[in-house]
Amino acid sequence: MDVLVVGAGPAGMALAAACGQTGMTVGLVDPNPDRPWVATYGTWSPELPDHLPASVVAARADGRAIALTEHRLGWEYAVLDVDRLRAHLADQFTGVTTYRGRAVGSPEHGAVALADGSTLRAAVVVDAAGRWRPLSAAPSRSVPAEQTAYGLILDEQTVTPLAKPGEALFMDWRADHGEAGWPTFVYVVPLGHGKVLVEETSLARRPGLALSTLRRRLYARLAHHGITPPNDARTEKVSFPVDQQRHSGRDVLGFGAAAPLVHPASGFSVAASLRLAPQVAVALAEHLPGHPERALAAAQETVWPAAAKVIHRVRRIGLEALLRMPGAEVPGFFERFFLLPDADRWAYLTARDDVGGTVSAMASLFRESNWRMRRHLILPALMPPLLTNDEAAD
Ligand SMILES: Cc1cc2nc3c(=O)[nH]c(=O)nc-3n(C[C@H](O)[C@H](O)[C@H](O)COP(=O)(O)OP(=O)(O)OC[C@H]3O[C@@H](n4cnc5c(N)ncnc54)[C@H](O)[C@@H]3O)c2cc1C
């Protein structure tokens, strides 16, 4: 087998499909490869790769954000139809064999040990097992910084006091939930078929803010806007780390959230995975089957060019600044962020290898900030990562 992909989430399936399309033989292993995806995956429309058919997008909407004031972002937001995306990727499976199993390690180059004692072998192994990344030895922080959110799926008409049909509310930082303490925002996106996801979100906290707090705030916020959700409304619960180090596997490629391709300022990774998958496949195919080491190195370089490594580091510093920022200052910080020139906002939120754009965004933010905010932005770069936010009252 040329490539073995561990993990059949969006990243693993996209990469397995792309590798198969180049003519390579591919294995895809997951404890439950047929499990339907249930999370709501959204992203900015221009981030989606051109090769994706329009049918995998469930809804599109104009992006809006509220920090201290309201901002029309001028960007379109897209919410994916996860069933169609999954079916589309599965349809591309040429030369892909699916295995049911849980990877527990990679004892040697090209080998993956499974929990049942068996071993799968391939010229190149990819760990696309999301936050679990069983083939990485990179130390995880004992207390991870996590994005957590509690959401309800409601009828579009019910939610109009917060977002009109055709609108996506990327962030609304108003404390309409009536609580002081850790800052949270509401995220409202259309899902298609007249449904909307309304989600109270803690962007990043070490450890993640409790779902019970988010649920309480969501109900209070909705009540503030005169919205009473039905008792049987479907829920979405979100919790994933945003501060994982780069995948350590010297003999393994980390891909997707396992890489991690997760942007700490949004939590997004799916669009980046879908975009990179065909590029990684081409890099691998150029050197396989003859040169597995060169294939792995070329794929690593595709996922982590020098610029992306720098930006990963810079984004981690930005995350630490946010974790240390006094809660009351956070909406003001985002107000300044949303007032930045469009190109700066776009570069910071999306481009993972545009060092110039990211630095320009950070420089603009610094220039536009008062001295108190500048201190909050600079000092964390000189300090070790925060151990925990738990001392602070919620
Ligand atoms: C509820 C929710 C909503 C989210 N919303 C968004 C969003 O709107 N936009 C966005 O970009 N991101 C979003 N994210 C964050 C992130 O992008 C997702 O977590 C996304 O699923 C990552 O895709 P992935 O394929 O890299 O990993 P995953 O989807 O986590 O897939 C990993 C796969 O690996 C398998 N696996 C785990 N351990 C093993 C093992 N030992 N051996 C073999 N297989 C294993 C799992 O079964 C799973 O199928 C959201 C996350 C959650 C939880």
Side-chain angles (χ1 to χ4, degrees):
M1 178 166 20
D2 292 316
V3 181
L4 175 63
V5 180
V6 175
M13 281 192 64
L15 186 56
C19 288
Q21 292 289 312
T22 67
M24 292 186 282
T25 50
V26 183
L28 177 66
V29 60
D30 192 291
N32 189 355
D34 306 319
R35 180 182 55 91
W37 298 338
V38 289
T40 308
Y41 295 137
T43 189
W44 302 106
S45 294
E47 282 209 284
L48 289 173
D50 296 337
H51 60 79
L52 218 55
S55 58
V56 305
V57 175
R60 297 176 188 271
D62 293 331
R64 195 161 70 91
I66 304 175
L68 300 178
T69 65
E70 180 169 335
H71 306 266
R72 300 259 157 200
L73 299 177
W75 307 342
E76 188 187 70
Y77 198 75
V79 178
L80 298 173
D81 180 321
V82 287
D83 292 337
R84 286 195 179 168
L85 174 63
R86 200 171 182 290
H88 165 72
L89 296 173
D91 282 350
Q92 318 267 304
F93 274 14
T94 310
V96 179
T97 307
T98 303
Y99 301 90
R100 189 174 291 273
R102 188 165 62 82
V104 290
S106 178
E108 58 185 324
H109 187 97
V112 172
L114 302 184
D116 66 3
S118 63
T119 302
L120 291 170
R121 291 182 190 278
V124 173
V125 170
V126 180
D127 184 352
R131 62 180 301 176
W132 300 278
R133 42 190 212 175
L135 309 185
S136 178
S140 341
R141 297 193 59 80
S142 52
V143 186
E146 291 167 309
Q147 180 173 128
T148 51
Y150 184 92
L152 289 171
I153 291 151
L154 301 176
D155 287 335
E156 186 176 70
Q157 294 308 326
T158 321
V159 178
T160 46
L162 271 173
K164 306 217 168 18
E167 278 182 357
L169 190 52
F170 181 53
M171 292 176 166
D172 177 352
W173 285 100
R174 291 173 297 178
D176 293 340
H177 47 68
E179 294 188 22
W182 191 259
T184 58
F185 64 89
V186 73
Y187 165 79
V188 187
V189 290
L191 303 176
H193 308 292
K195 295 288 182 189
V196 174
L197 172 69
V198 186
E199 208 153 70
E200 190 75 24
T201 307
S202 165
L203 191 55
R205 187 183 184 282
R206 189 174 280 138
L209 189 64
L211 292 183
S212 54
T213 305
L214 290 158
R215 182 180 186 279
R216 185 178 70 229
R217 288 188 182 190
L218 178 60
Y219 274 87
R221 186 187 290 274
L222 292 174
H224 175 89
H225 288 280
I227 301 168
T228 312
N231 292 333
D232 60 353
R234 261 179 54 216
T235 60
E236 174 167 282
K237 294 169 191 156
V238 181
S239 170
F240 59 87
V242 289
D243 63 348
Q244 283 185 314
Q245 296 193 12
R246 281 196 288 123
H247 196 285
S248 72
R250 203 174 305 155
D251 292 337
V252 173
L253 174 72
F255 191 66
L261 297 179
V262 179
H263 193 318
S266 64
F268 293 173
S269 71
V270 174
S273 301
L274 296 174
R275 240 188 8 256
L276 273 175
Q279 299 171 34
V280 173
V282 168
L284 290 167
E286 264 175 26
H287 302 282
L288 290 178
H291 302 283
E293 270 97 16
R294 281 191 218 161
L296 178 62
Q300 297 276 23
E301 179 61 26
T302 306
V303 178
W304 292 111
K309 289 182 189 165
V310 171
I311 288 186
H312 182 66
R313 175 90 194 103
V314 166
R315 286 177 177 176
R316 291 285 300 272
I317 293 171
L319 170 69
E320 292 299 325
L322 199 60
L323 293 173
R324 288 183 184 272
M325 199 173 284
E329 309 252 1
V330 169
F333 166 76
F334 278 96
E335 179 70 14
R336 286 190 190 89
F337 181 79
F338 288 124
L339 285 170
L340 290 180
D342 192 50
D344 284 341
R345 278 185 283 149
W346 186 250
Y348 192 78
L349 279 180
T350 63
R352 61 181 300 276
D353 53 5
D354 177 4
V355 176
T358 301
V359 168
S360 159
M362 294 182 99
S364 303
L365 197 57
F366 189 78
R367 236 184 355 259
E368 299 302 320
S369 297
N370 60 27
W371 275 106
R372 201 175 62 237
M373 181 57 75
R374 287 178 182 176
R375 263 207 332 272
H376 294 321
L377 297 177
I378 287 289
L379 287 182
L382 311 171
M383 299 160 86
L386 184 71
L387 286 177
T388 172
N389 289 112
D390 264 349
E391 284 86 355
D394 292 328

